[in-house]
């Protein structure tokens, strides 16, 4: 088993869905984002930032649509700059629909250095049709277009490329894949039914959320307030970022065999200390046709062994 990192006050990447409010209402959305999407208060968001680790190399702010909750976004950016003093790269994932030069310049002034347009596909409202207009907007503000992804490529881009943007979109093979067995994707039955697709092993999956692997970033996710090992989020969160220090939650997870297996990207082995064999897990995964749904099933069936009555992780250790 990989040796897990010890210092959880230092993260390479934190992905935060701080709002599910969105100007769009896409059929494939995994977290039910829409004009009626869930929101949390500014007070809660400030508490979450207070509870974040002392050193984070990059924070990705996402939604929902971050610009649909722009007053809250501005407050979050101000708080991040106050806490991290410009030493953390701030990235925004947006569909780009609400972006204009004036809004872009404010975001730059508030410390955002990377913009990812996550709507260049046929599933979003504008189906990628605004890409050239967005390119002109970014050019106007001196933001350089690049295919280099600061998460996948690694490195700290504050110094070598202080302002950049890129784009991507959903596809049947990937972002409608293993992780989108959630939300409206489930409701509209457009999630990938492929038990061989292990989303847990790749970026945005759970692998390496506790560190120890060198090939993908050490990244965790916060969905509104739910501390998760992956972008899709486990059925029960590891903790509540409004009330708990993220570093302390991760430290506890590092002692829990179930979450250590998620860190290995191997959900089918989560139950080895709880009497669930890998062979039995594989059979159930084949039945459910999706690794994230198997993870949900396992956590629900074993909740009382993994969490106490207050939802705090138990010490399921080797």
């Amino acid at each position: 088993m990989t040796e897990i990192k010890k210092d959880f006050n230092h993260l390479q990447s934190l992905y935060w869905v701080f709002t599910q409010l969105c100007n769009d209402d896409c059929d494939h959305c995994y977290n039910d984002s829409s004009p009626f999407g869930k929101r949390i208060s500014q007070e809660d968001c400030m508490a979450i930032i207070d509870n974040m680790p002392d050193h984070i190399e990059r924070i990705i702010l996402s939604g929902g649509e971050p610009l649909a909750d722009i007053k809250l976004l501005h407050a979050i950016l101000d708080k991040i700059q106050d806490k991290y003093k410009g030493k953390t790269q701030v990235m925004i994932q947006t569909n780009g629909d609400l972006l204009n030069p004036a809004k872009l310049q404010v975001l730059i002034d508030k410390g955002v250095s990377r913009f990812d347009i996550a709507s260049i596909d046929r599933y979003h409202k504008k189906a990628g049709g605004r890409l050239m207009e967005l390119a002109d907007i970014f050019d106007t503000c001196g933001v350089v277009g690049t295919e280099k992804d600061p998460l996948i490529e690694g490195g700290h881009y504050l110094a070598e490329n202080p302002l950049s943007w890129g784009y991507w979109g959903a596809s049947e093979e990937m972002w409608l894949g293993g992780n989108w067995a959630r939300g409206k994707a489930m409701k509209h039955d457009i999630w990938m039914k492929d038990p061989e697709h292990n989303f847990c092993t790749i970026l945005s999956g759970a692998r390496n959320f506790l560190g120890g692997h060198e090939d993908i970033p050490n990244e965790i996710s916060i969905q509104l307030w739910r501390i998760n090992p992956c972008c899709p989020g486990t059925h029960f969160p590891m903790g509540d970022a409004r009330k708990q220090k993220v570093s302390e939650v991760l430290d506890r997870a590092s002692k829990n065999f179930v979450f250590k297996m998620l860190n290995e990207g191997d959900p089918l082995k989560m139950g080895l200390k709880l009497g669930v064999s890998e062979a039995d897990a594989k059979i159930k995964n084949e039945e459910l046709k999706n690794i994230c749904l198997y993870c949900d099933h396992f956590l629900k069936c074993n909740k009382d062994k993994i969490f106490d009555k207050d939802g705090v992780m138990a010490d399921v250790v080797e």
Side-chain angles (χ1 to χ4, degrees), residues 120-153:
I120 310 305
D121 57 55
R122 64 186 178 87
Y123 300 99
H124 287 82
K125 182 190 299 182
K126 297 187 182 295
R130 200 174 176 232
L131 182 59
M132 296 312 297
E133 183 182 351
L134 287 166
D136 289 340
I137 290 172
F138 284 120
D139 186 61
T140 297
C141 294
V143 184
V144 178
T146 173
E147 293 184 0
K148 180 182 277 190
D149 188 320
L151 288 176
I152 296 174
E153 299 291 336

Side-chain angles (χ1 to χ4, degrees), residues 14-139:
L14 188 151
Y15 180 92
W16 184 17
V17 171
F18 70 87
T19 183
Q20 291 180 351
L21 183 68
C22 188
N23 60 297
D24 209 343
D25 194 5
C26 298
D27 286 348
H28 71 293
C29 186
Y30 77 105
N31 64 12
D32 286 315
S33 298
S34 75
F36 310 101
K38 292 180 181 178
R39 306 168 71 183
I40 55 176
S41 69
Q42 181 171 322
E43 180 182 10
D44 282 344
C45 289
M46 299 301 103
I48 289 169
I49 296 170
D50 284 336
N51 284 327
M52 286 181 182
D54 293 337
H55 180 60
I56 305 175
E57 292 184 29
R58 52 183 72 88
I59 295 174
I60 307 109
L61 299 174
S62 187
E65 168 49 48
L67 274 72
D69 220 341
I70 197 162
K71 182 178 178 182
L72 180 57
L73 172 60
H74 288 170
I76 286 170
L77 291 172
D78 289 343
K79 179 77 170 180
I80 287 173
Q81 290 305 309
D82 182 59
K83 177 169 181 170
Y84 294 105
K85 312 299 183 187
K87 295 179 180 179
T88 293
Q89 183 184 39
V90 181
M91 304 168 61
I92 284 183
Q93 285 186 359
T94 170
N95 60 32
D97 294 352
L98 306 178
L99 198 64
N100 61 39
K103 290 178 180 178
L104 176 59
Q105 189 58 56
V106 171
L107 296 176
I108 293 170
D109 292 343
K110 289 183 177 293
V112 181
S113 62
R114 171 74 184 189
F115 301 85
D116 282 289
I117 307 300
S119 63
I120 310 305
D121 57 55
R122 64 186 178 87
Y123 300 99
H124 287 82
K125 182 190 299 182
K126 297 187 182 295
R130 200 174 176 232
L131 182 59
M132 296 312 297
E133 183 182 351
L134 287 166
D136 289 340
I137 290 172
F138 284 120
D139 186 61

Side-chain angles (χ1 to χ4, degrees), residues 1 4 52 64-65 82 89 99 109 121 131 156-157 159 162 165 199 212 283 290 306 309:
M1 189 182 300
I4 292 170
M52 286 181 182
E65 168 49 48
D82 182 59
Q89 183 184 39
L99 198 64
D109 292 343
D121 57 55
L131 182 59
H156 200 291
Y157 289 84
W165 73 282
F199 182 80
I283 291 170
N290 184 280
I306 303 169
K309 61 182 178 60

Side-chain angles (χ1 to χ4, degrees), residues 51 65 74 98 133 152 174 180 183-184 201 214 216-217 222 237 253 274:
N51 284 327
E65 168 49 48
H74 288 170
L98 306 178
E133 183 182 351
I152 296 174
M174 185 53 202
W180 285 179
K184 285 179 284 183
T201 64
E214 299 297 330
I216 58 172
I222 299 177
L274 298 175

